[in-house]
Amino acid sequence: MKPEAATKPAAATAEKLHITGSEAVIRSLIAEDVKTIFGYPGGAIMPIYDALYDFQDEVHHILVRHEQGATHAAQGYARTSGKVGVVFATSGPGATNLVTGLADAYMDSTPMVCITGQVAAHLLGTDAFQETDVIGITIPITKWNIQVTRAEDIPGAIAKAFYIAASGRPGPVLVDITKNAQVAKFDFEYSKCEYIRSYHPVPKLNNEAVKSAAALINEAKRPYILCGHGVLLAGAEKELIALSEKAGIPIASTLLGLSAVPVDHPNYVGFLGMHGNYAPNIKTDECDVVIAVGMRFDDRVTGDVTKYVKQAKVIHIEIDAAEINKIITAEVGVHADAKTALQALLPLVKAAKHDEWIAGFREADKQEEEKVNRRELYPTEGALKMAEVVRLISERTAGKAVLVTDVGQHQMIASRYYRFKDPNTNITSGGMGTMGFSLPAAMGAKMGAQEKEVVAVIGDGCFQMTLQELGTIYQSQIGVKIVILNNNFLGMVRQWQQLFHDKRYSSTEMTNPDFVQIAKGFYIPGKKVTDRADIVAAIDEMISHDGAYLLEVVVEKEDNVFPMVPAGAPIANIRLE
């Protein structure tokens, strides 16, 4: 494939092409530099798949085993590649199977364009076979959606979809195309969308707000940076670190902000939130200025908001104006892209050191090390622990793999103990907390970063929600490494039942299948480890294997994740045991 053939818009040709709406879909995607699509065919989208047949050298289609898997794969692809993830699905159940992934992408600000087939326009509203009002269903969980009923409207709708999905605060967009629009012909031309009246995704920087923020930072005795996902989305990692180094400010990360700052950076103090590190949580109550960058003060970070940072002045740098003052009142709100704001802020901030303030974090770290980490990371007897497995994976990959986690205990353990070194190497379901996310997201992450090792760390419950995507991994030869941490429980629910419901383990214990045999059924090699003496060799075998590999590790059945902030409690109430 010649690169220019894949990216040259049809509009640049001497004559307009008289083509079907379906072919217009594919040519529009090519004009947007789409190389990879995740999807599943069906009756209402069949004309688009028929058109795709003639462009197989230019666009690679990954046939998933479930439409939800397509959305999560597109999310993983977008997060590692920096491009818009693209999904195809048919009408009715195909379209409704996208809902969870759309909601997940919406919560986590992931750019995605989903194209669904729909019944013919004259059948709309008649309850025709596999007709569903996907537009009405997805309004609350998309950044924008549209139903196209005329072929000539397809290029404009797709151009607008890509512009909206990728600009400003990114998010998912859905384009629903009726079957008559797919088969009708028209004179095709394509122009990328660069402006929409009344939509202003790039806010104008308020220099006075930046000056006010700099003044607060320069006066602060205990300033504190909270790094969110917006730092990664803006590509502002270097600017954030430069601010921290110049002004001597400690940096803590939200769950989705992980990997923006290397964990071994001297000013990095850890992971915020319900199961985050001890120091960054308790020190939130001691800072005098908070610089929140690209984060939305999620309840898992704040705990009881009535008691959160009451002693501090808050600077909130955020591209979405709706997030500023939504949960936490800001002394200074900077409505801007994180990179733009930090670039403007840096020259105004004075060089400073806050060594004593940062040293306080290190003292608190010692308590976590003594009461939690030593026991979890370096056990010498008993069953294997999730933390020691994650530590070994981190060591064996030098902290440079893309780590894709599902939701639950293993997610918190992996987020706490993997030693991230490179940006955009932490892929997880944050706001939505979608079980089943990891396996398909890892497929997409690998397609978006084929030069990197991609390791999916999954709980036994989560794995069984989307394990059918092993078929996609085999068919498309996607070289992901899959680690199942198997405790035969829905671990996080069980932990809450133990701590807050008198060990009334209601519907959380699982009788699991032979995961290695299941993988072998999909022609993916694997191994099961139950003994500590075998774990290092098994991880090395997995990493060195050329292609997909599944490693099941049987871990302690009733292990708990600490530290922990009880739900609804102030974050200062974080428990070490």
Side-chain angles (χ1 to χ4, degrees), residues 174-188:
L174 183 136
V175 181
D176 190 46
I177 306 176
T178 59
K179 200 164 186 179
N180 62 289
Q182 295 175 43
V183 299
K185 289 189 173 184
F186 72 109
D187 290 337
F188 173 80

Side-chain angles (χ1 to χ4, degrees), residues 351 390 450 517:
V390 171
Q450 297 191 35
Q517 282 300 114

